[in-house]
Every structure is written in structure tokens, then in C-alpha cells.
């Protein structure tokens, strides 16, 4: 039999950065998520959930953490690392702009908190920042999954077989992860003595105003609202 090899192609870029907020900044972020945990997650209607994410609740402001003073440092750090990410992938002259669509709190409950597999189809890049984790607790990992459409009419190849390297990231306090939004991911069951807090971001990537290009999203300033049709 002739020699053969299977080559897995097209790796997916995921950025990991361990940040170092000052004690005051870290405390301010933690207090905001503790407030969410106390006032929303502990509400009786959510008492049987093992996780709560602000963007799913449909309540005003819960997906707007990036507007709060407590998260301005994190916004700035995110800007630095997104810029480095795009420069690494596209070169220093990519001329793209990045917009925060929304940012929301995520609480994983003490016993078995998890988040089911999903994607963020509304965005181009997504990020997670771990505000509070327990030391030496590896549970509740962020697990990325390969697309299951390889021969999907016959079988789905598990992500572990399709991943060239990694696929699972440990939830370390003050760690930032940045990844393509359409990359399917989930949070494995979290087990801890206290809840775990993180913040998620969805980012849109556009051209600069007045510099639209084919196959790239134009800047929102170039958009025009489509008026609702009036009476006949």
C-alpha cells in the first residue's frame, strides 16, 4: 500500500492574553458582575438556571457593559489586542475599523454551570474576559468546536479529531480570549465554591467612513435607514 497522509488545513486564529488590571479596576469590574448576580441571577424566575447571560434576558442595558465606567480599562485593552490580532492576520495597512456591538455579563453557577454550544452570527469577532475565577480550578473551560459539516450527510467528525492543536482554553482570572464569532463554542460544566464571572463582547469590523470596499462591511456612518412604507 502506498504511503498516505491526512493534512488538516485552514487553522483558526484564537488570541489569548493574560491582562493585569490594577486592584481598583479589578474590584470595580467584579462589583458590577456581583450586582448582576445578586439582582438578576438570584431572582426567583432564574433560580433553576445554572448560568445567566445578560444578552439573553432582553432587559435594557444588560448588553451595554462597555458603556460603564468600570469597563473602560477593559475596552482599551481590547482595542490594543484586536489591533494586534488584525495586524497579524492582515498586515499593518488593513484600514479596518472595529466597533463594539454589545458587551454583557456571564455568571456560571457554583454547581454545574455551563453554556450550550453556540455561535455569534451577528458579529465578526467575539471576546471573553474572565473577571472572577477560582485559583487552580480548571473546570468550566471554553471549548471550541470544528465545523461538523465534513461529509455531514454521512457523519460528523468530532472537533477533537478535526482540531490541529488545542481547542480548549482554561478559564484563568483576567485572561482575554478573542476569536471569530462564527466559531462554535461552549462552556463545559463549572464546579466551584463560588460563582464564576466573565464578560463577553461582540465586535463588528467595517471599513473606514466613505471607504467602502467590495466584500467588506461599510462603516455605519455610510448606512441609510430604509424608511417604513407609508400609507398607499
Amino acid at each position: 500500500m502506498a504511503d498516505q497522509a491526512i493534512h488538516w488545513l485552514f487553522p483558526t486564529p484564537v488570541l489569548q492574553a493574560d491582562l493585569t488590571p490594577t486592584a481598583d479596576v479589578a474590584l470595580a469590574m467584579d462589583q458590577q458582575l456581583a450586582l448582576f448576580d445578586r439582582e438578576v441571577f438570584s431572582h426567583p424566575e432564574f433560580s433553576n438556571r445554572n448560568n445567566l447571560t445578560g444578552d439573553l434576558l432582553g432587559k435594557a442595558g444588560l448588553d451595554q457593559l462597555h458603556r460603564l465606567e468600570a469597563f473602560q480599562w477593559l475596552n482599551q485593552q481590547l482595542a490594543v489586542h484586536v489591533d494586534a490580532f488584525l495586524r497579524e492576520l492582515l498586515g499593518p495597512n488593513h484600514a479596518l475599523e472595529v466597533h463594539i456591538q454589545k458587551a454583557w455579563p456571564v455568571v456560571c453557577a457554583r454547581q454545574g454551570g455551563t453554556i450550550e454550544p453556540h455561535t455569534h452570527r451577528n458579529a465578526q469577532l467575539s471576546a471573553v474576559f474572565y473577571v472572577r475565577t477560582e485559583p487552580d480550578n480548571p473546570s468550566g473551560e471554553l471549548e471550541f468546536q470544528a465545523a461538523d459539516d465534513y461529509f455531514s450527510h454521512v457523519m460528523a467528525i468530532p472537533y477533537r479529531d478535526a482540531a490541529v492543536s488545542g481547542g480548549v482554553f482554561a478559564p484563568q482570572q483576567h485572561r482575554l480570549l478573542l476569536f471569530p464569532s462564527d466559531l462554535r463554542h461552549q462552556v463545559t460544566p463549572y464546579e466551584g465554591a463560588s460563582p464564576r464571572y466573565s464578560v463577553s463582547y461582540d465586535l463588528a469590523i467595517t471599513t473606514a467612513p466613505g471607504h467602502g470596499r467590495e466584500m467588506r462591511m461599510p462603516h455605519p456612518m455610510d448606512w441609510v435607514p430604509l424608511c417604513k412604507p407609508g400609507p398607499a
Side-chain angles (χ1 to χ4, degrees):
M1 181 177 177
D3 291 340
Q4 70 174 33
I6 295 177
H7 300 280
W8 292 103
L9 303 180
F10 314 121
T12 299
V14 176
L15 180 146
Q16 174 184 307
D18 292 326
L19 308 185
T20 53
T22 65
D24 289 346
V25 168
L27 177 61
M29 290 189 289
D30 186 271
Q31 288 177 336
Q32 285 293 334
L33 270 74
L35 180 65
F36 171 76
D37 186 8
R38 183 170 63 252
E39 294 192 352
V40 180
F41 200 4
S42 60
H43 195 274
E45 67 181 293
F46 304 122
S47 60
N48 62 343
R49 292 181 60 94
N50 62 13
N51 74 76
L52 201 62
T53 66
D55 64 327
L56 293 179
L57 295 179
K59 296 180 181 292
L62 289 184
D63 62 356
Q64 299 293 303
L65 287 191
H66 55 289
R67 298 182 184 273
L68 301 180
E69 179 63 30
F71 295 95
Q72 296 312 300
W73 175 88
L74 182 55
N75 292 346
Q76 294 169 3
Q77 292 295 308
L78 184 60
V80 169
H81 290 287
V82 169
D83 182 64
F85 185 82
L86 294 177
R87 286 172 177 268
E88 178 70 22
L89 296 179
L90 304 174
N93 300 317
H94 58 75
L96 296 174
E97 297 195 5
V98 183
H99 313 258
I100 300 175
Q101 288 185 344
K102 56 182 178 177
W104 62 96
V106 180
V107 174
C108 282
R110 290 185 294 272
Q111 303 300 323
T114 186
I115 297 177
E116 297 300 316
H118 65 285
T119 62
H120 301 207
R121 294 285 183 171
N122 56 289
Q124 285 77 49
L125 287 176
S126 293
V128 59
F129 177 73
Y130 295 101
V131 174
R132 180 199 294 184
T133 65
E134 292 183 348
D136 303 319
N137 183 350
S139 67
E141 296 169 310
L142 183 62
E143 178 180 273
F144 293 104
Q145 299 180 348
D148 61 0
D149 56 358
Y150 305 105
F151 315 115
S152 59
H153 58 292
V154 177
M155 61 181 179
I157 298 177
Y159 88 97
R160 285 186 173 85
D161 295 334
V164 176
S165 63
V168 177
F169 288 79
Q172 183 170 313
Q173 186 156 304
H174 300 157
R175 173 166 289 172
L176 174 71
L177 296 171
L178 178 70
F179 53 92
S181 300
D182 60 358
L183 182 60
R184 190 170 58 190
H185 54 285
Q186 66 180 1
V187 175
T188 62
Y190 168 73
E191 301 286 347
S194 60
R196 194 186 74 192
Y197 297 161
S198 59
V199 176
S200 292
Y201 283 78
D202 275 348
L203 308 173
I205 301 174
T206 75
T207 62
H211 291 80
R213 293 175 58 184
E214 184 178 14
M215 304 303 292
R216 291 191 175 178
M217 184 183 297
H219 193 280
M221 289 180 63
D222 296 333
W223 300 1
V224 175
L226 183 63
C227 297
K228 294 182 179 179

